[in-house]
Amino acid sequence: MDKPFEPECTFSERALQLTSSAIREILKVTERPDVISFAGGLPAPSGFPVEVVREAFDKVLVSNGRSALQYGPTEGYSPLRAWVADDLNRSGAHVTPEQILIVSGSQQALDLLGKVLIDKDSKVMVETPSYLGALQSFSLYQPRYESVASDEGGLIPEALTPASARGARFLYALPNFQNPTGRTLTRHRREALVQQAARLNLPVVEDDPYGELRYAGEHQPSLLSLGGEAGAHVIRMGSFSKVLAPGLRLGYIAASRALIDKMVQAKQATDLHTSTLTQMAVYEIVKDGFLAKHLPTVRELYRQQCGYMLDALQQEFPAAATWTRPEGGMFIWVTLPEGIDTTQLLQQAIAEKVAFVPGQPFYANTPAPRNTLRLSFVTVPEEKIRSGMATLGRLIKAQLG
């Protein structure tokens, strides 16, 4: 048989910098139903309000189908933008609908921020460790990362110094139930962070996809609301993926009018606008307070799942291992004794049909610790959590001798 014609392309310098997501590559291995996977940061499907979503799409198509299937404004569906602004303002922010851009999932917001704020070799400040999806998105624009020191309480505001922040385009941070560590910034650290950012004239990107998923501890104010009082420039990202369903691919970004206008121009060159039908359906779902009724059930589910994993870790892992105890969200961060390489441990675990994500890819700069790992617990039944933790614990203890 003749070989198919495959013309060669000359890739751009930017394309040559692209790499696959470490998590997505692991997920390819874990597609088999017999694998217990703690790898993917996927919300629990049992929390998806399938019937409510179906009814919303049906209602929009019946009552306003032609508009829903038409092109729409790049900025987003006006009633949904107004709802987002009102929701943020109820939590202490002071934004207008004109300061809201609806995007096709918060990953698009990250990409648009990179397009309009990052030049090659621009300094971008990130937590240690940070969200892998953000690092992957920003890296396309070839920044120079400045890692900000963090501890068990998360980002250390005092680590933001005039020298480290000089010339930085922005600081990227996840204050609530951070991905990958599950850590949450305290009220004191939030206030110190926005005050220091204001002094340094450093924009702060507050990524908060998990903030509504708190199941322990006390609610903390957003950086956006605190930033207004401190005079800091806070850019807030949010998503409907974790509170409704990720398949909707719907998120938002709240920022100054000047930044929103520039991101609108970038989005016009990307996809014109986010799905009108999806925006209208989501507005139909949330406009009368559905989330206030729906989220307590999701929070309780996640609280139980987190409890199962914390209990299994205590029972199965060696005493020398430590881990975070999240107050919300989907992740636990484990630190193993020095000398254990979690990338090698993953290969052993996969051979025994258990998967997790090694910690190394979450660090912007090298050398990164080799003895950390991320566990996601919300999609795995209790018996499989306990079985998977027993397997991992056995493999770790074998390496310790």
Side-chain angles (χ1 to χ4, degrees):
M1 179 180 289
D2 292 337
K3 185 178 180 180
F5 177 58
E6 295 182 357
E8 293 187 3
C9 297
T10 301
F11 290 113
S12 67
E13 181 181 345
R14 180 175 290 118
L16 294 174
Q17 302 295 319
L18 291 171
T19 58
S20 297
S21 164
I23 297 174
R24 292 286 165 179
E25 291 303 307
I26 293 171
L27 290 179
K28 291 179 184 178
V29 179
T30 64
E31 287 179 343
R32 302 194 311 269
D34 59 338
V35 173
I36 301 173
S37 178
F38 307 110
L42 311 177
S46 58
F48 299 161
V50 176
E51 285 304 308
V52 172
V53 173
R54 181 189 62 77
E55 291 171 4
F57 274 90
D58 286 349
K59 184 173 181 179
V60 168
L61 287 169
V62 169
S63 64
N64 209 5
R66 287 180 173 81
S67 294
L69 297 176
Q70 186 55 279
Y71 287 113
T74 304
E75 293 83 350
Y77 181 50
S78 293
L80 183 59
R81 295 172 72 201
W83 183 90
V84 170
D86 288 344
D87 188 58
L88 293 175
N89 293 340
R90 281 192 292 270
S91 299
H94 301 281
V95 297
T96 66
E98 290 72 30
Q99 292 176 261
I100 305 298
L101 172 64
I102 303 297
V103 290
S104 301
S106 58
Q107 194 68 25
Q108 185 181 60
L110 293 169
D111 179 62
L112 294 176
L113 283 169
K115 283 181 177 175
V116 304
L117 294 179
I118 301 175
D119 293 312
K120 185 176 180 180
D121 295 325
S122 298
K123 184 188 291 187
V124 171
M125 306 189 79
V126 295
E127 298 169 290
T128 309
S130 188
Y131 170 48
L132 177 59
L135 297 178
Q136 188 178 27
S137 182
F138 297 152
S139 292
L140 188 62
Y141 303 101
Q142 299 174 277
R144 176 169 52 89
Y145 288 115
E146 178 82 19
S147 294
V148 181
S150 305
D151 60 17
E152 292 308 306
L155 183 147
I156 302 171
E158 293 76 17
L160 293 173
T161 65
S164 66
R166 186 174 297 115
R169 298 298 173 88
F170 58 84
L171 164 69
Y172 172 75
L174 295 94
N176 293 317
F177 328 126
Q178 193 232 26
N179 182 355
T181 66
R183 298 167 181 158
T184 297
L185 281 184
T186 63
R187 173 69 180 253
H188 173 73
R189 285 199 176 186
R190 289 167 193 250
E191 292 174 346
L193 171 59
V194 295
Q195 289 167 6
Q196 182 69 344
R199 284 192 289 267
L200 297 172
N201 195 29
L202 174 67
V204 177
V205 175
E206 177 186 25
D207 192 357
D208 190 25
Y210 313 105
E212 294 292 338
L213 300 178
R214 174 178 288 279
Y215 39 78
E218 296 183 2
H219 170 78
Q220 299 296 334
S222 69
L223 300 183
L224 180 65
S225 62
L226 294 174
E229 300 171 7
H233 181 192
V234 177
I235 303 157
R236 182 177 169 87
M237 294 169 45
S239 173
F240 292 96
S241 291
K242 306 303 187 295
V243 297
L244 284 177
L248 295 168
R249 305 310 306 131
L250 200 64
Y252 70 84
I253 187 161
S256 66
R257 281 294 304 275
L259 180 55
I260 290 294
D261 289 347
K262 190 54 65 176
M263 293 182 71
V264 165
Q265 293 171 351
K267 184 171 167 61
Q268 286 171 349
T270 300
D271 65 354
L272 296 183
H273 66 89
T274 298
S275 164
T276 306
L277 174 59
T278 301
Q279 291 184 73
M280 294 175 73
V282 167
Y283 174 69
E284 186 64 35
I285 294 169
V286 301
K287 66 184 178 69
D288 294 323
F290 171 75
L291 289 180
K293 296 177 287 186
H294 172 64
L295 285 174
T297 302
V298 179
R299 294 182 191 118
E300 177 58 21
L301 170 64
Y302 286 19
R303 185 193 66 78
Q304 289 182 0
Q305 294 289 114
C306 183
Y308 298 148
M309 180 164 282
L310 289 172
D311 183 59
L313 283 166
Q314 188 66 44
Q315 291 186 27
E316 305 293 349
F317 273 39
T322 61
W323 50 85
T324 55
R325 302 184 70 86
E327 297 178 341
M330 306 160 57
F331 306 109
I332 292 173
W333 184 251
V334 179
T335 302
L336 299 177
E338 294 286 346
I340 295 183
D341 187 328
T342 54
T343 300
Q344 295 176 5
L345 178 66
L346 174 64
Q347 299 308 313
Q348 297 176 332
I350 287 176
E352 300 208 24
K353 300 180 180 179
V354 177
F356 59 86
V357 183
Q360 278 187 284
F362 297 98
Y363 289 84
N365 296 314
T366 54
R370 304 185 69 87
N371 61 326
T372 58
L373 60 96
R374 189 193 76 175
L375 299 171
S376 179
F377 48 80
V378 300
T379 60
V380 187
E382 178 185 2
E383 64 275 12
K384 290 190 175 182
I385 287 178
R386 298 189 183 280
S387 173
M389 290 301 100
T391 297
L392 289 180
R394 173 171 51 79
L395 293 173
I396 294 165
K397 290 173 183 176
Q399 289 199 30
L400 292 175

